[in-house]
Amino acid sequence: MAKVDLKKELSYLYQPSAKEVTEVDVPTFRYLMIDGQGDPNSSPEYAEAVEALFSVSYTVKFMLKKGVQALDYAVMPLEGLWWADDMAAFVANDKAQWKWTMMIMQPAFVDAETIAQAMTEVLKKKKLLAISQLRLESFSEGRCAQILHIGPFSDEGPTIQRLHDFIDARASRSGKHHEIYLSDIRRANPANWKTIIRHPML
C-alpha cells in the first residue's frame, strides 16, 4: 500500500529555509478547522480544540486505510491563524485577547461525508464538545512569505520581524499571522521545535 505524504509532495510549502525568508504561492487547500480565543498555553478551550482536530484527522486516516479504497497517508501538521481585534494586544503579547483558527489540512480525496462519520466515531469515544465546532473549509492564501523558526515559541519575535521586514520592503501585509507546527512539542526539546512562520502579502 503506497502512502501519500503531502508534506513531502508540497515541500516548497512545508520545508522552508531557516536562513532566509522566501516568497511562495499557496494554492487553495481544504482544512478541518476550529475557531477560538484565549491563551494557548492555559486555555482549556484551546487544548480541547487541538485534541478534537487530531482525533478526527487520525480517525479519518484509519477509516480510509481500512476501507475499500485502502488509502494510506500521513496526517498533516497542526496549523494556526492568529490575530486580535486590537492588534496592539497581539503585538503586546496579551494572549488572553488572541483569537485563533486551528486547522489541519485534509487530502483532496477526503470528503465531507467521511469527516462527518469520523466526528460521530470520535464522539462515541470522547465527550469533546469541540467536535461539534469543527468544519471542513477551503482556504486560500495566495502570495505569501515564510521562514522556518527553530526554538521555543517565546523566541519567535526576531524571526517574525525578519518576515515582516521582507514583506514591507516588497509589498504590504494582508491576512493573518500563520504558523505551522512541525514538531511534537510534548516530546521534542523546545530548543529544537520547528515552526513555519507565514504571512500573506499583496
Side-chain angles (χ1 to χ4, degrees):
M1 182 187 298
K3 185 172 184 176
V4 176
D5 190 341
L6 291 177
K7 200 164 63 172
K8 289 183 179 179
E9 293 180 16
L10 299 169
S11 60
Y12 74 104
L13 296 177
Y14 287 88
Q15 296 178 21
S17 168
K19 296 180 180 179
E20 61 179 357
V21 179
T22 55
E23 185 176 325
V24 292
D25 184 34
V26 185
T28 301
F29 296 115
R30 291 184 315 141
Y31 294 84
L32 193 60
M33 293 180 165
I34 185 168
D35 303 319
Q37 178 177 337
D39 187 340
N41 298 317
S42 59
S43 167
E45 179 186 7
Y46 178 84
E48 185 170 311
V50 172
E51 183 179 359
L53 280 171
F54 275 114
S55 296
V56 173
S57 293
Y58 273 99
T59 299
V60 169
K61 166 190 167 71
F62 291 118
M63 285 173 62
L64 291 179
K65 186 176 180 180
K66 297 174 182 176
V68 177
Q69 293 174 291
L71 290 167
D72 191 18
Y73 63 94
V75 170
M76 292 294 280
L78 179 70
E79 308 191 25
L81 304 176
W82 299 90
W83 74 100
D85 290 337
D86 178 0
M87 285 305 288
F90 193 78
V91 175
N93 220 27
D94 182 3
K95 297 179 181 179
Q97 303 302 316
W98 286 8
K99 293 189 174 183
W100 39 262
T101 297
M102 304 312 295
M103 55 195 198
I104 296 178
M105 186 199 294
Q106 303 298 312
F109 49 76
V110 173
D111 58 28
E113 183 180 352
T114 305
I115 292 285
Q117 291 174 357
M119 289 169 64
T120 300
E121 287 299 313
V122 174
L123 270 174
K124 290 178 182 177
K125 301 173 184 176
K126 301 180 179 181
K127 300 302 180 183
L128 291 172
L129 295 177
I131 294 291
S132 63
Q133 300 168 27
L134 294 174
R135 68 184 186 279
L136 183 64
E137 185 175 300
S138 294
F139 178 63
S140 180
E141 284 184 295
R143 185 187 184 197
C144 294
Q146 66 179 27
I147 188 170
L148 180 67
H149 172 75
I150 300 177
F153 304 137
S154 57
D155 291 349
E156 285 181 355
T159 306
I160 293 172
Q161 189 60 54
R162 287 179 63 194
L163 182 71
H164 287 178
D165 289 346
F166 177 92
I167 295 174
D168 295 345
R170 294 162 178 78
S172 58
R173 283 174 257 163
S174 65
K176 296 170 181 174
H177 178 84
H178 186 170
E179 297 190 351
I180 303 169
Y181 308 104
L182 303 180
S183 303
D184 183 345
I185 64 172
R186 298 167 300 177
R187 298 172 182 169
N189 185 321
N192 299 324
W193 288 355
K194 293 182 178 180
T195 306
I196 299 171
I197 310 294
R198 180 186 294 167
H199 205 105
M201 54 194 288
L202 293 176

